Amino acid sequence: KEWANAGIADRQDDKKGEPAMVFSPLDVSTIAASFQLSLVGKFSKGSPPMEDIRRFFKALDLKDEISVGLLDHQHVLIRLASEKDFHRIWGRNVWYVFGCPMRVFKWTSSFHVDKEPSIVPVWFSLPKLLVHFFKECLFHIVSCLGRPFFMDAATSSLARPSMARV
């Protein structure tokens, strides 16, 4: 009902003799907007109890609120309130939650638990990049490869001037 009050029309169509609800791409974007800082954690080799998963995320000392909910026996939905927390969790492909490996994917409106997602973060290394390009130019340099999120700690502190990593 809330989305209907937001100006999204509920339209019904007949698909192969069955009633169906049809949403335009704009409708889907509007409805999905509140999930833009959401991730999906996938446990391929068994998962700990939900209480332990929530306790694990609470122990990460994130800056803002986090909500973790069960999607199915392998997947959890991780909703974050801060873009910095989002990138911190997504930037690391695999987390070990009480010994159970959990891969992290960006949630999209087309996400389905039975399909592998197509959007994943990738670390780019730039060996022998001139040190004066590390701070001001680094994001511009790698933007041709995709949207840069952040640089690693060694790059931002110039602790490893032989290579930039973003």
Side-chain angles (χ1 to χ4, degrees):
K1 296 275 182 193
E2 277 184 35
W3 53 267
N5 294 334
I8 302 170
D10 58 339
R11 295 171 294 194
Q12 293 190 12
D13 263 345
D14 211 26
K15 298 288 183 191
K16 298 181 183 176
E18 297 288 328
M21 183 68 73
V22 178
F23 297 95
S24 73
L26 179 60
D27 293 346
V28 173
S29 315
T30 303
I31 296 165
S34 65
F35 291 88
Q36 69 183 10
L37 294 178
S38 295
L39 298 165
V40 174
K42 181 176 182 179
F43 293 94
S44 297
K45 299 178 182 186
S47 66
M50 267 312 289
E51 303 82 41
D52 288 348
I53 297 170
R54 289 187 178 116
R55 193 170 33 148
F56 169 82
F57 281 105
K58 190 170 186 149
L60 291 180
D61 194 32
L62 299 171
K63 301 300 177 205
D64 280 309
E65 295 286 322
I66 184 170
S67 165
V68 182
L70 192 63
L71 291 170
D72 72 0
H73 69 284
Q74 283 188 309
H75 298 86
V76 292
L77 179 66
I78 307 159
R79 294 185 69 191
L80 299 140
S82 153
E83 193 168 335
K84 187 172 183 173
D85 291 341
F86 173 86
H87 291 301
R88 177 181 169 201
I89 294 174
W90 190 33
R92 189 168 167 184
N93 271 344
V94 177
W95 290 86
Y96 287 87
V97 181
F98 293 98
C100 299
M102 177 186 73
R103 290 186 306 154
V104 179
F105 304 100
K106 182 177 181 181
W107 179 89
T108 65
S109 60
S110 60
F111 175 79
H112 193 280
V113 293
D114 294 332
K115 297 178 185 166
E116 285 292 319
S118 60
I119 300 173
V120 294
V122 176
W123 281 102
F124 288 100
S125 297
L126 298 131
K128 300 181 182 178
L129 180 69
L130 298 173
V131 73
H132 57 281
F133 288 123
F134 272 44
K135 296 281 182 171
E136 286 76 29
C137 303
L138 189 55
F139 276 31
H140 295 293
I141 292 168
V142 298
S143 65
C144 63
L145 304 170
R147 183 174 158 229
F149 295 126
F150 54 91
M151 61 183 83
D152 71 352
T155 301
S156 67
S157 68
L158 295 174
R160 185 193 52 237
S162 62
M163 176 179 66
R165 200 165 165 239
V166 66

